[in-house]
Amino acid sequence: MRGSFIQGSTFQPIPHVYHHSSIANTTMDAHRMIYEGLQKLKRQHPGLTGKELLKTITDPPACSVCSGPSTPPTKQCSACNLLFSGLYASQPSTKDVRALISSQGQKRAWSNQFSSGKTHKFLCPKFKRHMKRNADMKAILDFFPWGFVCDVDGSFLLQWFLAERNLLGSTGFGFWSEPPTFSSHDQPSIGNPLLENMDAEALRSTKYINGYMLLKDLPHPDPRDGWLRLPDSEIPWYDFTDHPEALPSLLDDVIESWSDWYTWRGLLPSSPVALIMHQVLSVYFMLTHSLDYFPLDADTQRETLHFDLIGAERELNIIPLFAELALLLPGYDLKLTFWGPSVHALGTRVGPDSLVNRDGPVFAYTAPASLGGSTLSVSLATQHTLWQAPPENAATPPDALLALNAGMGSSQNEWWPVAQNEWSPVAQYALVSRVPFVFTDYQESFLEVGTSDFVDMLRDRTLDAYRARPQPLPPGDEADYQAMLRKGSGNWTVRWNPFQRPGKEGANDGALPNTANGFVFELIV
């Protein structure tokens, strides 16, 4: 669904083919709306199919202030090109202050706070730099022949694309499965009562839960079933006994782009698997470029690594695809543990003896010896709703903490209490224990503004927690460590992710570059 991410939130506007008044009293979910909207498009444009049909959608981009559709007369900042709606709303979730964007209104916007708590005057030079990434996002999408952009704001309508191929759905859609909600997460939207009620009803009526395949007798689908309607030639296989032609070469260096990965995997760009594999390849990018783990000489080297993947949601639907990491990184034994509310919810659906709740991995894979023989295992921490720090004397603490689309830049809006509750202990543990914490998010502005403020806010708390440690560092090291914590943002970095999901998210804040796993935030002490 096209969506406007309000500094980390996931408000989703109604598709243009419907009007609020026509659906307010229905139980229609997001997927059904898109499929019905697609049928309406086909009636309006007989003879058009595929991306030529989808390019006829002309939803306006979102206002950077109110995040609603940019109704005329749309204004644009002459310095950073940020879009403002014809209507101006200040903190729309808590106030109803609206004024036409005029010269006077633009002056108000200049000094009025966004949902991040920052003014346009403060953010404008940052936005100007961020806007340059729009061209880079389009370059990634241009690699794929199925890619297209809307003329209005250069976005890629992902869910409409999936619906046109009959790949949009929840239960029964294999690796493509997603919640039937307007939120990009598996809970109702926040900040829009209409969509919140619709999402809640959709989740109740469908009983959908991420990871539902793990509740079945055969929890992991055959790749052909998982990829649903894709031909064999468009699938990245892991069983090379049945598909010897798909066996890639042994890697001795890292892969840097979608083009490189498709070539190495023997796939043509016509395969749309990047729209799912970005979750796995984003983890790969964090391991290689943020944490400096590179392919080893498997004949002479072997290393065991354990990572906690926090906040897992849709990742639960694609667990077998994480086998890709064992192919990409020869010479490793990789252990992933998934944490988060969705993981815990999955554990409550079944008994203690089920695959989901048993001790040990729910999935394991060994790469062919010719590719280095790396292993990959995935376990689920179902016993806790939120991530739990290991004991101080833990024998094997995680080598790093990872997260995808963490939403930590959601300061001062509806998602802020959620972010504080879920991520404060994680970031604080990373600072105190010097365990790297690396995660992705949709917008560079989320990470540079919201997340950096969040991390800086934790520094005083971290110093207090550090002083209370049972085993403090030697005095000299302590002084250096405290100085490091006080030096502001010197130990975090924002990085462009070339394995982001192809295609810019639609109707985002003021046309800023925005896509799933678009950017990486590195908190490395």
Side-chain angles (χ1 to χ4, degrees):
M1 193 68 202
R2 298 189 67 178
S4 163
F5 291 82
I6 313 172
Q7 287 292 325
S9 77
T10 51
F11 168 78
Q12 303 282 348
I14 298 291
H16 81 293
V17 293
Y18 291 95
H19 189 271
H20 284 269
S21 61
S22 66
I23 61 170
N25 297 316
T26 74
T27 59
M28 184 177 294
D29 63 48
H31 294 166
R32 181 182 166 193
M33 287 181 64
I34 290 177
Y35 275 113
E36 293 197 6
L38 185 64
Q39 293 305 312
K40 183 175 180 179
L41 277 181
K42 290 179 178 179
R43 291 193 296 270
Q44 292 173 341
H45 305 281
L48 291 183
T49 60
K51 66 181 184 181
E52 296 306 318
L53 174 67
L54 298 177
K55 287 169 68 174
T56 64
I57 298 174
T58 56
D59 280 0
C63 172
S64 61
V65 181
C66 71
S67 294
S70 314
T71 54
T74 298
K75 297 290 185 180
Q76 191 170 30
C77 175
S78 60
C80 69
N81 295 322
L82 201 72
L83 293 175
F84 294 90
S85 174
L87 294 176
Y88 174 77
S90 173
Q91 300 290 348
S93 61
T94 57
K95 301 178 182 179
D96 188 23
V97 181
R98 297 180 178 272
L100 283 174
I101 285 288
S102 58
S103 297
Q104 181 179 2
Q106 285 180 297
K107 290 179 181 178
R108 287 181 56 194
W110 182 254
S111 58
N112 195 79
Q113 291 185 347
F114 287 74
S115 57
S116 63
K118 301 294 192 299
T119 65
H120 187 186
K121 180 179 180 180
F122 173 83
L123 294 171
C124 188
K126 297 179 182 292
F127 287 164
K128 183 177 181 179
R129 173 168 46 83
H130 298 161
M131 284 288 190
K132 296 177 181 178
R133 286 298 189 184
N134 275 322
D136 298 326
M137 284 190 176
K138 185 175 184 302
I140 288 178
L141 186 62
D142 285 345
F143 170 71
F144 302 98
W146 40 260
F148 68 94
V149 297
C150 287
D151 292 337
V152 179
D153 65 352
S155 62
F156 172 65
L157 306 185
L158 171 62
Q159 290 188 303
W160 291 81
F161 169 82
L162 296 177
E164 203 275 334
R165 293 194 172 200
N166 200 24
L167 294 173
L168 178 67
S170 48
T171 302
F173 279 75
F175 301 142
W176 304 99
S177 299
E178 62 176 51
T181 60
F182 293 93
S183 167
S184 63
H185 303 284
D186 57 355
Q187 66 263 1
S189 302
I190 294 179
N192 185 304
L194 171 61
L195 300 186
E196 185 174 351
N197 291 336
M198 293 174 66
D199 282 355
E201 177 58 32
L203 291 171
R204 280 194 298 267
S205 62
T206 62
K207 296 183 173 56
Y208 176 82
I209 184 171
N210 280 322
Y212 69 90
M213 287 177 280
L214 291 164
L215 306 178
K216 299 182 177 182
D217 293 335
L218 296 174
H220 302 299
D222 176 270
R224 186 178 286 106
D225 296 330
W227 287 113
L228 218 56
R229 297 170 182 85
L230 297 190
D232 286 4
S233 61
E234 293 188 351
I235 293 176
W237 297 97
Y238 300 103
D239 182 356
F240 302 109
T241 302
D242 293 337
H243 302 276
E245 76 287 349
L247 183 69
S249 59
L250 175 66
L251 288 175
D252 58 6
D253 202 354
V254 297
I255 286 177
E256 301 283 356
S257 67
W258 281 121
S259 175
D260 290 346
W261 182 76
Y262 267 69
T263 300
W264 175 67
R265 273 310 223 137
L267 298 172
L268 294 176
S270 57
S271 171
V273 295
L275 297 173
I276 298 295
M277 291 299 296
H278 68 91
Q279 299 179 82
V280 179
L281 271 293
S282 291
V283 171
Y284 167 72
F285 182 78
M286 291 189 284
L287 297 185
T288 55
H289 287 73
S290 300
L291 301 174
D292 294 331
Y293 293 114
F294 302 108
L296 300 177
D297 181 351
D299 292 333
T300 60
Q301 297 172 290
R302 197 77 179 181
E303 188 170 355
T304 298
L305 299 173
H306 174 209
F307 305 106
D308 284 353
L309 185 65
I310 304 172
E313 293 181 338
R314 296 187 196 179
E315 296 92 324
L316 292 166
N317 299 328
I318 63 166
I319 286 176
L321 302 184
F322 282 89
E324 190 73 25
L325 298 175
L327 303 180
L328 288 162
L329 289 169
Y332 290 92
D333 295 307
L334 304 171
K335 300 179 181 180
L336 288 177
T337 301
F338 287 11
W339 293 79
S342 295
V343 179
H344 177 69
L346 193 64
T348 63
R349 290 286 188 98
V350 291
D353 297 328
S354 72
L355 172 68
V356 170
N357 286 321
R358 74 174 59 162
D359 290 335
V362 298
F363 176 79
Y365 175 80
T366 301
S370 63
L371 297 183
S374 289
T375 65
L376 181 283
S377 66
V378 177
S379 301
L380 304 180
T382 58
Q383 65 273 32
H384 300 290
T385 302
L386 300 179
W387 179 82
Q388 302 292 307
E392 181 80 18
N393 59 351
T396 55
D399 291 285
L401 310 176
L402 308 174
L404 297 174
N405 299 315
M408 277 183 60
S410 55
S411 60
Q412 301 190 22
N413 73 359
E414 296 88 349
W415 285 100
W416 181 234
V418 178
Q420 280 188 312
N421 186 41
E422 185 165 358
W423 297 117
S424 291
V426 181
Q428 187 167 325
Y429 172 80
L431 288 168
V432 171
S433 302
R434 302 193 183 192
V435 173
F437 180 27
V438 186
F439 56 90
T440 66
D441 218 322
Y442 287 82
Q443 282 191 20
E444 194 172 11
S445 59
F446 289 179
L447 297 175
E448 285 197 3
V449 180
T451 304
S452 61
D453 285 354
F454 176 84
V455 172
D456 290 344
M457 178 194 71
L458 289 172
R459 294 184 189 281
D460 289 341
R461 298 183 190 177
T462 301
L463 283 171
D464 293 339
Y466 169 78
R467 295 186 184 104
R469 289 183 61 174
Q471 298 176 338
L473 293 172
D477 290 346
E478 178 180 350
D480 291 342
Y481 187 58
Q482 292 189 15
M484 179 277 300
L485 288 175
R486 290 194 184 97
K487 70 181 180 182
S489 58
N491 62 327
W492 60 258
T493 304
V494 175
R495 191 188 295 267
W496 165 261
N497 178 17
F499 292 109
Q500 62 190 243
R501 189 189 67 204
K504 178 182 173 183
E505 189 81 26
N508 62 86
D509 293 342
L512 283 164
N514 176 29
T515 193
N517 295 314
F519 300 87
V520 175
F521 188 97
E522 303 167 357
L523 180 60
I524 300 177
V525 178

